[in-house]
């Protein structure tokens, strides 16, 4: 029974926390960490600034169709000299004259296809950046959930390694005592010592992995959470109401901000292509000029003060190399095709992700239950092998192998549970529906009243009072 109690301590699959993890306190649950991650996140802030840039670009595009108004002020100092003239009116000699000119001009586009399409392109660009902002929020939210659950998984793996090490240390004590009584050989003692060394290495490796997970969580969140709540003892795995892959793909095309951003990107480049084509199209403008000239005179005649207003309609027909920029439409046409291909590539990846994720979500609970049942069966096998070993009917290698199988299956069950939760978050992230509702669904599986984990948790203090695995 002593061995049974030692093995049962490893039954924390589902992330069951036990006393000795740390002192009880108010732990930060997933909802709190999720809000920490999306508040003031630089990725989201960067996307917001890009949206502001898109709004400014659209404003500038609209400004392209507003009147162009200019005022010009000229002042000339003219020095003239006439050395010879056949005109008797002109005076020979030198003279200095002061001329002043003020020109006011207004030019209004009546028809300019390039400017119109630039406005359309900028509007599509603004919408693309808005969808990119929503994509950034979805990505940051999922990364926070992933980092949180990965940290819990790493903590449970580290605890399991400690439990396995403690169990193996007990085996070594038992075999050493039997060796002194002549009931065990040096070969058996070496086997136990080798397995104990393996568990020593595993303890160090899992501890390192746990510390890396906490560091990754800090990077994703921006701040290091003081503590994390762990999974409750009884967990009801979240399920999907709809498991049809085509339905999720149809939803993704409508709700995924990443897909919508790609759609707007295609429209934006198509409008840019139309604007480039518009460079070679005729333009029709209205131009009004008001000029006031105060001439100080010249050796050829007297000074004058004139005021002239001119209204003009201008039709400009580009014939070659419009704007001196070549034919940019040839380049932009390739960009349109690139945007279309990028969308097609992503849709293939999306179908693969959605199909694989839903398959795992559908089959995951059955696999977890099978693993949990296997763990319970392996516990009974370990107890039976131990009894046979005490009776001399099995070897210590049999006991060690069964122990190893038990811990391996517990690790598989642990990984399957966290993988199921991550898949639940992933299917909503790729379809653009990840939000507080999904966070709450996962968060309700945590139990803040259980001992929590911190960055400096000492897993060697893990207690042996735990409950059997229970999956609803």
């Amino acid at each position: 029974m002593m061995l049974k109690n030692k093995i049962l301590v490893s039954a924390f699959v589902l992330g069951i926390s036990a006393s000795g993890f740390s002192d009880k306190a108010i732990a930060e649950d997933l909802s709190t960490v999720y809000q920490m991650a999306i508040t003031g996140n630089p990725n989201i802030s960067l996307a917001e600034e890009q949206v502001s840039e898109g709004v400014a670009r659209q404003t500038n595009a609209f400004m392209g169709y507003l009147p162009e108004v200019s005022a010009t002020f000229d002042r000339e100092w003219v020095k003239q000299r006439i050395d010879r003239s056949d005109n008797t009116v002109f005076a020979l000699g030198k003279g200095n004259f002061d001329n002043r000119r003020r020109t006011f001009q207004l030019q209004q586009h009546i028809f300019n296809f390039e400017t119109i399409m630039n406005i359309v392109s900028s509007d599509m660009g603004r919408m693309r950046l808005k969808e990119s902002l929503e994509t950034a929020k979805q990505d940051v939210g999922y990364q926070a959930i992933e980092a949180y659950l990965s940290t819990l998984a790493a903590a449970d793996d580290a605890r399991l390694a400690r439990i396995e090490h403690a169990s193996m240390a007990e085996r070594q004590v038992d075999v050493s005592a039997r060796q002194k009584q002549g009931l065990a050989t040096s070969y058996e003692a070496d086997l136990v010592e080798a397995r104990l060394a393996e568990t020593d290495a595993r303890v160090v490796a899992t501890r390192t992995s746990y510390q890396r997970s906490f560091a990754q969580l800090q990077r994703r969140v921006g701040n290091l959470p003081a503590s994390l709540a762990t999974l409750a003892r009884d967990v009801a795995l979240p399920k999907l109401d709809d498991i049809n892959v085509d339905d999720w793909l149809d939803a993704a095309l409508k709700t995924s901000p990443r897909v919508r951003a790609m759609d707007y990107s295609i429209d934006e480049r198509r409008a840019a292509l139309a604007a480039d084509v518009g460079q070679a199209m005729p333009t029709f403008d209205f131009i009004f000029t008001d000029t006031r000239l105060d001439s100080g005179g010249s050796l050829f005649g007297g000074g004058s003060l004139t005021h002239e207003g001119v209204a003009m309609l201008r039709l400009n027909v580009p014939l070659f190399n419009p704007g001196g920029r070549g034919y940019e439409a040839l380049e932009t046409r390739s960009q349109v095709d690139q945007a279309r291909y990028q969308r097609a590539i992503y849709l293939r990846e999306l179908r693969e992700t959605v199909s694989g994720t839903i398959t795992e979500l559908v089959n995951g609970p059955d696999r977890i239950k099978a693993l949990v049942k296997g763990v319970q069966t392996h516990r009974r096998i370990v107890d039976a092998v131990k009894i046979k070993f005490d009776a001399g009917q099995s070897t210590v290698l049999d006991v060690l192998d069964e122990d190893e199988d038990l811990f391996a299956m517990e690790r598989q069950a642990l990984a399957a549970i966290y993988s199921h939760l991550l898949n639940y978050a992933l299917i909503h992230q790729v379809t653009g529906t990840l939000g507080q509702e999904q966070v709450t669904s996962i968060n309700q599986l945590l139990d803040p009243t259980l001992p929590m984990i911190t960055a400096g948790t000492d897993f060697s203090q893990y207690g042996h009072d735990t409950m059997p695995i229970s999956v609803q």
Side-chain angles (χ1 to χ4, degrees):
M1 291 302 295
M2 180 181 297
L3 177 59
K4 181 177 181 180
N5 291 334
K6 294 170 186 174
I7 299 301
L8 279 176
V9 77
S10 61
F12 62 90
V13 180
L14 289 180
I16 300 173
S17 297
S19 61
F21 225 37
S22 67
D23 294 334
K24 286 189 176 182
I26 298 177
E28 294 173 355
D29 58 12
L30 180 59
S31 292
T32 303
V33 173
Y34 178 82
Q35 291 299 327
M36 292 170 60
I38 64 176
T39 302
N41 187 279
N43 292 318
I44 296 178
S45 299
L46 175 61
E48 290 174 341
E49 288 301 322
Q50 290 173 340
V51 171
S52 299
E53 178 185 358
V55 172
R57 186 182 301 118
Q58 184 184 31
T59 302
N60 290 333
F62 275 106
M63 293 289 289
Y65 224 95
L66 293 179
E68 298 178 24
V69 182
S70 63
T72 305
F73 300 90
D74 298 324
R75 184 171 183 178
E76 302 175 343
W77 289 271
V78 182
K79 182 177 181 180
Q80 292 181 338
R81 186 177 72 180
I82 298 180
D83 295 327
R84 184 182 65 81
S85 176
D86 296 333
N87 192 331
T88 57
V89 178
F90 295 162
L92 301 180
K94 301 178 180 180
N96 295 312
F97 305 96
D98 188 3
N99 301 324
R100 301 183 183 185
R101 182 194 305 267
R102 186 266 298 158
T103 303
F104 172 84
Q105 178 173 294
L106 181 147
Q107 180 173 351
Q108 173 64 58
H109 296 305
I110 297 177
F111 175 78
N112 190 314
F113 189 74
E114 179 184 5
T115 302
I116 294 174
M117 296 315 299
N118 281 333
I119 293 175
V120 176
S121 177
S122 66
D123 185 51
M124 294 298 100
R126 178 183 62 84
M127 297 300 296
R128 171 180 58 82
L129 292 173
K130 286 184 63 177
E131 297 299 336
S132 296
L133 172 59
E134 294 302 316
T135 300
K137 292 179 180 179
Q138 291 284 312
D139 292 345
V140 168
Y142 174 75
Q143 290 171 3
I145 295 173
E146 181 184 36
Y148 191 103
L149 295 177
S150 296
T151 303
L152 295 189
D156 286 342
D157 198 24
R159 287 190 295 168
L160 186 57
R162 281 289 185 180
I163 295 170
E164 186 178 12
H165 180 272
S167 177
M168 201 58 61
E170 292 291 342
R171 295 271 187 254
Q172 186 181 44
V173 173
D174 189 21
V175 171
S176 296
R178 293 170 66 89
Q179 186 179 18
K180 292 179 181 179
Q181 298 173 5
L183 300 177
T185 65
S186 59
Y187 169 73
E188 293 176 320
D190 290 340
L191 284 176
V192 175
E193 185 175 356
R195 295 293 179 90
L196 183 60
E198 290 180 10
T199 60
D200 281 333
R202 188 173 292 114
V203 166
V204 176
T206 55
R207 179 67 187 181
T208 302
S209 177
Y210 171 71
Q211 292 173 343
R212 286 181 177 177
S213 296
F214 236 107
Q216 183 183 55
L217 179 63
Q218 181 180 11
R219 178 174 65 85
R220 298 281 177 85
V221 175
N223 297 309
L224 184 63
S227 58
L228 300 179
T230 56
L231 289 177
R233 293 185 173 93
D234 295 325
V235 176
L237 297 175
K239 298 180 181 179
L240 299 178
D241 295 331
D242 186 0
I243 59 175
N244 186 286
V245 174
D246 291 333
D247 290 344
W248 281 94
L249 286 172
D250 291 341
L253 295 178
K254 298 176 183 178
T255 61
S256 172
R258 197 183 304 274
V259 174
R260 291 201 301 265
M262 290 182 175
D263 292 336
Y264 282 123
S265 178
I266 295 173
D267 293 338
E268 177 186 7
R269 297 186 186 189
R270 283 175 175 168
L273 173 61
D276 290 341
V277 173
Q279 296 175 17
M281 296 181 64
T283 60
F284 192 45
D285 298 325
F286 169 77
I287 302 174
F288 172 77
T289 304
D290 182 88
T291 304
R292 188 171 187 264
L293 175 62
D294 184 1
S295 174
S298 70
L299 295 176
F300 308 106
S304 64
L305 176 63
T306 61
H307 193 175
E308 180 183 56
V310 178
M312 176 174 54
L313 293 176
R314 173 179 293 172
L315 175 65
N316 180 54
V317 181
L319 297 178
F320 175 74
N321 196 16
R325 295 178 292 180
Y327 294 92
E328 296 178 345
L330 299 177
E331 177 183 351
T332 311
R333 191 189 312 277
S334 177
Q335 295 177 356
V336 174
D337 292 336
Q338 291 178 39
R340 289 174 48 246
Y341 294 144
Q342 289 173 353
R343 183 181 185 275
I345 292 172
Y346 178 72
L347 289 184
R348 291 189 179 188
E349 296 175 351
L350 180 63
R351 172 173 286 277
E352 179 185 5
T353 301
V354 171
S355 178
T357 303
I358 289 182
T359 299
E360 293 184 8
L361 285 171
V362 171
N363 299 327
D366 292 337
R367 178 171 180 265
I368 293 172
K369 291 179 180 179
L371 289 170
V372 170
K373 184 177 180 180
V375 170
Q376 297 169 346
T377 303
H378 269 77
R379 291 200 194 108
R380 294 194 296 268
I381 293 175
V382 168
D383 291 341
V385 171
K386 176 58 178 174
I387 293 174
K388 293 175 64 177
F389 176 71
D390 292 338
Q393 297 177 356
S394 64
T395 65
V396 68
L397 181 60
D398 296 330
V399 178
L400 295 178
D401 287 343
E402 292 301 332
D403 269 348
E404 186 175 6
D405 290 344
L406 172 61
F407 286 111
M409 183 159 285
E410 286 180 329
R411 289 189 177 90
Q412 292 179 36
L414 178 66
I417 291 169
Y418 285 110
S419 177
H420 182 86
L421 298 179
L422 282 175
N423 284 327
Y424 177 76
L426 177 61
I427 192 62
H428 288 91
Q429 186 255 350
V430 298
T431 54
T433 56
L434 180 63
Q436 192 59 51
E437 179 181 352
Q438 288 69 40
V439 173
T440 301
S441 297
I442 301 176
N443 192 70
Q444 65 184 3
L445 307 180
L446 307 177
D447 189 351
T449 64
L450 294 175
M452 57 192 176
I453 61 172
T454 65
T457 296
D458 183 6
F459 294 102
S460 63
Q461 298 179 1
Y462 176 71
H464 286 196
D465 50 341
T466 185
M467 293 179 64
I469 301 171
S470 177
V471 179
Q472 298 180 8

